[in-house]
Amino acid sequence: MNLNPFWSMSTNTGRKRSDGEEQSGEQQQQRASPARPSFGKKQLPSIPKNAVPITKPASPAATAQLANGTHASYGPFYLEYSLLAEFTLVIKQKLPGIYVQPSYKSALMWFGVIFIRHGLYQDGVFKFTVYIPDNYPDGECPRVVFDIPVFHPLVDPVSGELDVRRAFTKWRRNHNHIWQVLMYARTVFYKINTMEPLNPEAAVLFFRYDKDVQLFKSKVVDSVKLCNSHLFDQPKMDDPYAISFSSWNPAIHNEAKERMFTHKRRPEDHQKGLQVSGLSWVKPGSTQPFSKDDNPPLS
Amino acid sequence: MSWLSRLTPRGPGGRSSRNVAPSSPCTADPETCLMVFENHWRQVSWVLEQQDPSSSSDDLTAVRNHTDQMLCLLAEERPGECEGPPGAVTSGNVPPIGPILDLVVSENVLERVVQWHLRRGLDPDSQGALLKLFEMLIGQSQQPLLQHKAVLQPLLGLLGACAEPQLGCPPSLENSLVLLLNQICVSMARAPAVLELLFRSAPAQHGPTNLLIFSLLVPFIHRDGAIGQQARDALLLIMATSASNQGVARYIAENSYFCPVLATGLSALYSSLPRKIEVRGDDWHALRREDWMGVSSLVLFMNSLEFCNAVIQVAHPLVRRQLVDYVHNGFLVPVMGPALHKSSVDEMIASTTYLDLFLRSVTETSLLKAFLRFILVHRHDNDTILDTLLTRISSNSRLCMVSLSLFRTLLSLNCEDLMLQLVLRYLLPCTHVMLSQRRAIRDTDLYGKSADKFLSLIPDCCRLSTAPSAEREEEPALWGKALNSPSSESPVHHKPSTPSRLALFMRQQNPGGGPSTPSPTETVPSSPGAGPNTPLSPDSPMHPIPEGLDWESGYLEYLRDARRGVELCSWACRNWSAPYDGEDPSPNAAPLPPPPPTSNPSLAMFPEHFSFQQGEGGGGGSTSPSQQRAAVVAAARSEWSSTERDSGEWDVTIGENSCISLTPRTKKRSLQREDVHLPKPLHLTPDSASLPDPSPHLRSAPTKGAQQAINGTLLGGQGDRCRDSQDGGMEVKKVKRELGEQQHPAGGDSSQNGEVSAFPAPAQSCGSLQGFYSEGNGSGTAESSRGLPPHKPSHTQTPSASLLSEPRANSSNDRLTLRAAASSPGSGPPEAMLSTQSEAVERLISELLDGAGPGEGGQQGPGDSNGQGISIEAFTQELRELEDRVRERSKGVGLFRQLEETTRDPHSGEPPPPSLLDADLMGSGVVAGVVRVFRPLGQPSTQPYTGPFMVVLFAKLENMLQNSLYVNILLTGILGQLACYPQPLLRSFLLNTSMVFQPSVKSLIQVLGSVKSRIETFAASHEDFPAMLKKAQRYLAARGKVDWADSPMGMPTLRRSDSLVKSRKPSLGDLILRHTNSPTRARHAAQLALAHVRDGGQSLHSALFRGGTGASGLEKQAEALRVKNAVYCAVIFSEFLKELAALAQEHAVSMPFLQSHDTEE
């Protein structure tokens, strides 16, 4: 089942031209327009339809907490919003070649995929999952686990977990953000570090890179191939928002792609009749009202 | 049946009978028709050829009858191509026109008929007949006629006759004329080429007014009823048709009176609007459609305004520009401006309301621009309209409400220019934050810290714990639960919950379209009673209003609302010129915002002055030194009242662990001065250096003055209250006090820390004042002396005031007070302020404060981590008394206003005010104002001042406990609106609770903190507070339900029926505004709601009276009102905090919109 056209689409387009410079440009575009504008697509009514029923009944109970804490009842909102804020930051960062999306079941688990455009791991498409500790942001740093253990000095050959902690020895709220972890996960494939490896074999091989170039390279290539061969597998996690790939189907994907590129984000319940808005006659660089030239720009 | 008889019954609009006559014999047989026509024509032309000028009335009748029939035949003739018989069409015309028309053209029939009529002198009767004939012809014709010169020329001849001064158009024929013109325009709109013809082929003798139709129509623009409507429709058609015709557009703009007539007509119509708006409910604050539908003068005005709007929408840019200019210069400036400055409160209310209505009605950007330009830039008597409007907020009750409503309308425009003038320009220099904090302006509140703080301010006494439901299994945000390891599966299928979270999913589901949308949401195990997909189970009316309201549950609604608000707002602001994030525009490059006294001298322009200055159109507008001084005086005066207030103020600080500490303002100030490293302009040394000895003799004079002033302010309230009962000028006093308060943050401090350099002699200072302000925006003189005229006349009320307004009459006196005031800040520590005030009063107050201090500190100490635990019992009775007294004196006027009672405040035992109160006030007040004004000379850009808007809103907010429910609803609504703005400067100012501001800048959180403590104090003093609170909540919830239940806005999912949430926000009028399409429903809703109002009021009253105080009836009533306001305030306050918290959270997760260069919206 193709639960998620958005992702399957983007991955497909991504893979098709996984190298070349236009990639980054397109990437930008993708991050800039489709991901973001899609915010505007949703319709307000469906929100309550989908979820309010679940959350609302719980809230009266929240009052129970009033006795011991002033606002403890709102606590859960904070965590959720913190994670959403982190996610918003990720979107704003426009990390090249990285896509993530929180799981349906928990805000603390994000699904992601990373596309490697050049270097040793060129053409690699690695799915991963980010696990965020539930005492975030006061806990440890989030964990990144690849679905398939990639052959890499910093990736545990068994669990597939990336050694993130070496970069974030102590997770500092306000300073460390999840996008940095994602950024790190990307960098790892372009700049290989072999200190205290999780995968000693890879590290050793890489260490002797000069001699065993071919050996290391071939291991990497094999690993990349392996990963890519499992690309179309069902997601490991049974979650509606797990990232799943499907092969390009023009009937579905062309249209979706088209829509993504033409879509303009609008406020959720933006009504057509919304009065003139966004009035501004301030000349950029000026702070005087009505400083703009009078050729009516907002006809 | 004759053709004529068919014609005559036709009034305007009775055309249908015509159209259903295709079966008439002539259409059936064109050839016969032609023969009939020729026959008529032969007879007519025989008459026409008679050269005898004295043709008999028989001739006339004959011609008329024949013409009637001929024209009917012509009108019903079908164009040749359709079914014209071969013989008829063979005449060789390429566009096959009907044979009759052919004949008409070749014989020039119409021209000859019309000329004949004109030659023999047109009597009204035949003029009317001709008009009707032509109207019928053009309206009914089956083929286009106007392209033919043979039709057009005689028509223009006839119209020309109508335009001639000697003949003109008698009133009785106006209907026919306009109808004809309307028909011409309609067919012109169908065939735009006609416009060109009309334009070119005008008879030479009409010279410049060559678009005859046009000049004939213009006089009817503002007509009432159908005729006006037809004329406007016709004109609109011309506008639309000429939109792309440069020539016609230029003609309209340059040679016609269209634009001036239209715009100045607005002025005329405005002058006939009611000067006073009869008001029913105490919640009324804006004109709704059904309010004005019944007022004919208003209907007339609105028709014309809407017409302007429509013209601007369709017309050629040339016309558009001209019309907009005329509206600005011919209506807004000369009429609206003075109207807004009318002297009586009623007129102020009316004009403010009208302006609000107009703003809501105008949709065209360029017209809106004219309005905004008028409001922001135009100076009436040296005040911008904005300044004037701002002062009204601080007034009391109704005027405040309509002003707030106006500002709400303004804010809803999301206009950058407006926001710049209102708020942003004051924040741009970033002087309101500590230097080290500037970088934090852009910070987003990732972890809900601010939200937490806001929520923590909800007074404990407002948290009615409902039946404590033990199972708190389901957290609202279960989604946030951990699924920590790859293998872990959550036992329950947790759902996305918060609006933003939902939105996240929506956006992913949506692009895929329906089919791919997963349906996990439907598997929800835990949906409440209602079916899984019931869109609004929690909100649906079925959801009973629980005993103790579903109090906390509203938060989710707030989040959703906040999300929507933030999103819409940032979308609306996407085309702004800059992000306003503390870097762009650069704080250093930002022009200096006008400092408090002069930027809004209007703030010092107390409404009572309006009441006093009856008939004064605002006084002379010149900028003489005396006026400048008057402004200073006024500003200073408000300052005085502020310092007086000051001693009774509490500052609330939210500490790191969200501890809340209350500090008496005066003390805190001094503390801050010691602790906090103050930036340049505020350091003390210069003061002390150059004023080493604030010598007693210097001080004595001002002190005396001050004492009087203080007494004056204190007592003045009562005086005014009495006065109010006579002239409704109640607002007055209160405003003054609030002004003081508003000005306080900046003014109070600056005067304390005032530089000595800013200490010139008055004469000199006037000059420098001017010099300094001129860098504002080139209108320095105007600025510095704004707000004067209104003062001057008012001051002349009292002897000393008039003295003051004389240029040099008492300059020495001035100087003395000036120096004295300057010296007092120099004297340093807390006493600085005290010393300038009446010792006695001060001592009393500080004693009380001291008494309260320890208790409060003690409560704070015990590590009540959340700061909620300030136990109110510990507040001593003295404190309460003090608070009551201070508050009652300075702010409690609102109660009385509503009660319209004339007795004194039961809490204050002050003697009646001295009569020269105002004068004294002013005399001593000069001081601070002057000092403050000149201080910036040294460091121009560093005085932190957040602008009059913020100051007045905060002042009003701080006063929440005394505000009426509706004021609070509007007020919090506006602040909520402001908090939606995504610009980091504004967002951080309002919502970032971790931000450290300059000591003189009051933050929202401080204000809220002080409200909280007041509420808690109040609650502690009223045993039955919980019961009353519950009642108030229930009432508000019911009200919200009424208002929302039958909202025709669709969107049934729109919530709020079950919580107070919404009832808090829009007030009645606003809610009803939604019902614009259904006045009956609206009225129904209004009645229901009003009934609730009364019920609610009643029950509160009764609740109160159970614990009867034994006071007199009147006092009891006053007390009841006070209690009622306070209880409602407690409800609103808690809701407001939730809203702010929700906004803070949503800002953190909102995505900016891309600038749209395409303006397809």
Side-chain angles (χ1 to χ4, degrees), chain B residues 1060-1130:
Chain B
L1060 308 193
V1061 175
K1062 205 57 187 191
S1063 74
R1064 191 189 63 68
K1065 275 220 210 120
S1067 80
L1068 210 53
D1070 182 42
L1071 289 162
I1072 287 166
L1073 211 56
R1074 269 168 236 273
H1075 303 263
T1076 41
N1077 298 324
S1078 163
T1080 38
R1081 284 182 89 179
R1083 214 163 282 288
H1084 179 65
Q1087 280 160 357
L1088 273 173
L1090 279 173
H1092 278 292
V1093 176
R1094 281 174 201 121
D1095 291 353
Q1098 267 329 105
S1099 50
L1100 279 177
H1101 283 265
S1102 53
L1104 175 81
F1105 289 140
R1106 261 190 289 111
T1109 55
S1112 82
L1114 218 46
E1115 277 177 359
K1116 234 156 83 176
Q1117 232 179 332
E1119 173 66 6
L1121 192 56
R1122 197 176 74 85
V1123 168
K1124 185 176 127 181
N1125 281 345
V1127 172
Y1128 278 136
C1129 165

Side-chain angles (χ1 to χ4, degrees), chain B residues 207 298 705 941:
Chain B
L298 206 42
S941 64

Side-chain angles (χ1 to χ4, degrees), chain B residues 598-816:
Chain B
T598 31
S599 78
N600 51 347
S602 41
L603 275 185
M605 205 166 63
F606 319 118
E608 70 245 51
H609 295 181
F610 287 103
S611 334
F612 290 160
Q613 66 178 95
Q614 299 286 355
E616 295 258 9
S622 72
T623 60
S624 69
S626 69
Q627 283 176 326
Q628 288 180 6
R629 208 171 50 230
V632 168
V633 165
R637 179 176 164 189
S638 68
E639 177 113 342
W640 265 116
S641 44
S642 87
T643 42
E644 174 265 322
R645 279 199 49 74
D646 201 47
S647 41
E649 287 283 322
W650 296 81
D651 262 358
V652 177
T653 324
I654 314 289
E656 275 298 274
N657 51 357
S658 46
C659 269
I660 296 178
S661 58
L662 287 178
T663 330
R665 173 71 53 72
T666 40
K667 293 187 178 167
K668 189 177 168 212
R669 278 282 151 67
S670 53
L671 285 177
Q672 279 170 342
R673 228 172 294 132
E674 287 160 13
D675 301 341
V676 184
H677 168 69
L678 291 168
K680 274 185 298 181
L682 297 178
H683 61 76
L684 283 170
T685 30
D687 291 37
S688 19
S690 54
L691 283 175
D693 175 29
S695 45
H697 75 271
L698 263 183
R699 234 192 275 160
S700 62
T703 303
K704 189 176 163 215
Q707 183 159 4
Q708 284 166 335
I710 288 164
N711 285 338
T713 346
L714 292 180
L715 310 171
Q718 295 152 16
D720 274 345
R721 262 171 237 144
C722 302
R723 209 179 308 154
D724 175 49
S725 62
Q726 295 147 18
D727 62 4
M730 185 86 234
E731 279 77 359
V732 172
K733 201 71 209 180
K734 161 126 193 250
V735 172
K736 185 201 293 179
R737 290 207 204 81
E738 295 208 347
L739 285 175
E741 196 180 356
Q742 293 149 16
Q743 301 226 336
H744 177 261
D749 249 20
S750 57
S751 64
Q752 280 176 37
N753 307 305
E755 307 274 337
V756 187
S757 58
F759 199 75
Q764 180 192 346
S765 53
C766 283
S768 46
L769 170 69
Q770 236 164 339
F772 169 61
Y773 286 120
S774 54
E775 77 176 280
N777 49 4
S779 53
T781 340
E783 272 209 35
S784 56
S785 57
R786 262 190 287 167
L788 293 187
H791 297 293
K792 184 178 168 190
S794 64
H795 292 330
T796 54
Q797 288 281 327
T798 58
S800 68
S802 57
L803 267 183
L804 271 176
S805 60
E806 293 300 322
R808 307 256 171 254
N810 58 351
S811 63
S812 62
N813 188 12
D814 256 358
R815 198 178 309 130
L816 177 61

Side-chain angles (χ1 to χ4, degrees), chain A residues 3-58:
Chain A
L3 287 179
N4 207 314
F6 174 73
W7 285 114
S8 58
M9 204 221 77
S10 63
T11 50
N12 274 297
T13 49
R15 271 201 317 147
K16 269 184 158 178
R17 357 175 187 155
S18 53
D19 40 20
E21 267 316 294
E22 91 265 40
Q23 182 65 38
S24 62
E26 186 217 6
Q27 217 47 269
Q28 288 285 338
Q29 276 242 4
Q30 279 190 354
R31 300 314 287 171
S33 50
R36 215 185 302 169
S38 45
F39 262 119
K41 262 289 186 174
K42 60 234 152 171
Q43 325 263 305
L44 187 58
S46 44
I47 297 174
K49 193 181 291 178
N50 284 342
V52 168
I54 328 131
T55 57
K56 278 303 281 249

Side-chain angles (χ1 to χ4, degrees), chain A residues 275, chain B residues 266 270 273 287 298 301-302 305 331-332 336 350-363 367-368 371 406 409:
Chain A
Q275 222 214 9
Chain B
L266 288 178
Y270 184 89
L273 295 184
L287 277 172
L298 206 42
F301 185 93
M302 291 307 287
L305 183 63
F331 166 59
L332 292 175
M336 218 46 221
S351 55
T352 308
T353 314
Y354 293 145
L355 184 58
D356 181 24
L357 174 65
F358 302 159
L359 280 169
R360 278 186 278 122
S361 311
V362 167
T363 59
L367 190 53
L368 261 180
F371 271 88
L406 174 65
T409 303

